[in-house]
Amino acid sequence: MVAVKSLVAQTAIPLVDIKSVDPTIVIELRYAGTNNLAGRALYPPGTPALVRPEVALRLVTAQAFLRRYQYQLKIWDAYRPKSVQMQLRQAAHNNDYVADPHAGAGSLHSWGIAVDATLIDAWNRPVLMATDFDDFTPAAMWHYLGPDPAIRSHLHLLQIAMRDAGFYGLRTEWWHFVIANWQKYLPPEELKRALQAFGMRWQDKL
């Protein structure tokens, strides 16, 4: 609870802990450990997975859909402070996949309207997916082109669940999802700067 209050106090964005809305959604924040692009923890111990309330409710919808098929969501990332976004961009050597927090509106994670999610089974076991998290190879593309029917099935199920719950996917990262009406959650000046600087391309950055 202390970690939640601390993060919320640092931002004017209304945020809720995903676990407080749906305790069945599994959380494994990759940037709270070392298994990520940076190779080190970027979040302090006990960091919760926070999102805007509207995002949390849509995740509840996706989770309910998946549980009917004996699967469920695992969240790899949610709200990401701009300070962490800067560290991540430096770790990625300013590549085209990681948004510059000082350009346009930066990452949509920093506005509480994006999540990184994967699929696990009903017993919390990982299932075959196209790649691991933070994979910037063609294998991570939204449209899986590999030969494995199990991976194709898992990706399709995740995509359907998130789409029907009101999320957009990302062309270059199968795990990244943004609330469908994301524009309304950005301050007008931030949205204007983002669209002027990058058009719609900025959506394609984590």
Side-chain angles (χ1 to χ4, degrees), residues 183-198:
Q183 296 94 332
K184 78 180 221 179
Y185 297 101
L186 268 64
E189 285 305 310
E190 293 280 359
L191 180 60
K192 181 180 178 180
R193 285 198 310 120
L195 296 180
Q196 285 178 340
F198 300 109

Side-chain angles (χ1 to χ4, degrees), residues 4-85:
V4 175
K5 290 181 178 179
S6 177
L7 274 176
V8 172
Q10 295 173 26
T11 175
I13 302 170
L15 298 169
V16 298
D17 186 344
I18 293 172
K19 276 289 193 182
S20 72
V21 180
D22 188 339
T24 71
I25 296 176
V26 175
I27 307 297
E28 183 193 333
L29 294 182
R30 284 295 190 91
Y31 298 127
T34 59
N35 187 14
N36 58 56
L37 174 66
R40 60 187 175 87
L42 301 177
Y43 295 152
T47 296
L50 302 178
V51 290
R52 287 180 180 266
E54 299 90 339
V55 175
L57 291 176
R58 297 188 191 198
L59 291 174
V60 171
T61 299
Q63 177 78 336
F65 174 88
L66 290 170
R67 286 171 71 86
R68 295 203 298 267
Y69 297 92
Q70 301 297 304
Y71 290 95
Q72 54 184 331
L73 288 172
K74 175 185 278 189
I75 302 300
W76 276 335
D77 201 23
Y79 168 72
R80 185 188 306 154
K82 291 184 179 180
S83 60
V84 173
Q85 182 66 23

Side-chain angles (χ1 to χ4, degrees), residues 5-175:
K5 290 181 178 179
S6 177
L7 274 176
V8 172
Q10 295 173 26
T11 175
I13 302 170
L15 298 169
V16 298
D17 186 344
I18 293 172
K19 276 289 193 182
S20 72
V21 180
D22 188 339
T24 71
I25 296 176
V26 175
I27 307 297
E28 183 193 333
L29 294 182
R30 284 295 190 91
Y31 298 127
T34 59
N35 187 14
N36 58 56
L37 174 66
R40 60 187 175 87
L42 301 177
Y43 295 152
T47 296
L50 302 178
V51 290
R52 287 180 180 266
E54 299 90 339
V55 175
L57 291 176
R58 297 188 191 198
L59 291 174
V60 171
T61 299
Q63 177 78 336
F65 174 88
L66 290 170
R67 286 171 71 86
R68 295 203 298 267
Y69 297 92
Q70 301 297 304
Y71 290 95
Q72 54 184 331
L73 288 172
K74 175 185 278 189
I75 302 300
W76 276 335
D77 201 23
Y79 168 72
R80 185 188 306 154
K82 291 184 179 180
S83 60
V84 173
Q85 182 66 23
M86 178 55 72
Q87 295 180 61
L88 187 60
R89 182 160 172 83
Q90 292 171 347
H93 305 293
N94 299 336
N95 73 25
D96 288 338
Y97 289 94
V98 181
D100 182 348
H102 301 306
S107 170
L108 293 186
H109 280 284
S110 298
W111 296 96
I113 53 178
V115 295
D116 295 330
T118 188
L119 203 63
I120 56 177
D121 69 18
W123 298 271
N124 293 356
R125 298 176 302 196
V127 301
L128 287 172
M129 300 299 274
T131 68
D132 196 4
F133 182 57
D134 275 359
D135 186 301
F136 301 134
T137 69
M141 299 290 283
W142 175 266
H143 295 293
Y144 175 67
L145 300 177
D148 193 321
I151 293 176
R152 183 175 294 106
S153 176
H154 294 153
L155 285 172
H156 187 57
L157 183 62
L158 176 63
Q159 291 165 357
I160 289 175
M162 296 298 278
R163 180 200 67 192
D164 289 355
F167 291 93
Y168 287 145
L170 183 61
R171 180 179 58 83
T172 54
E173 297 164 13
W174 61 261
W175 59 83

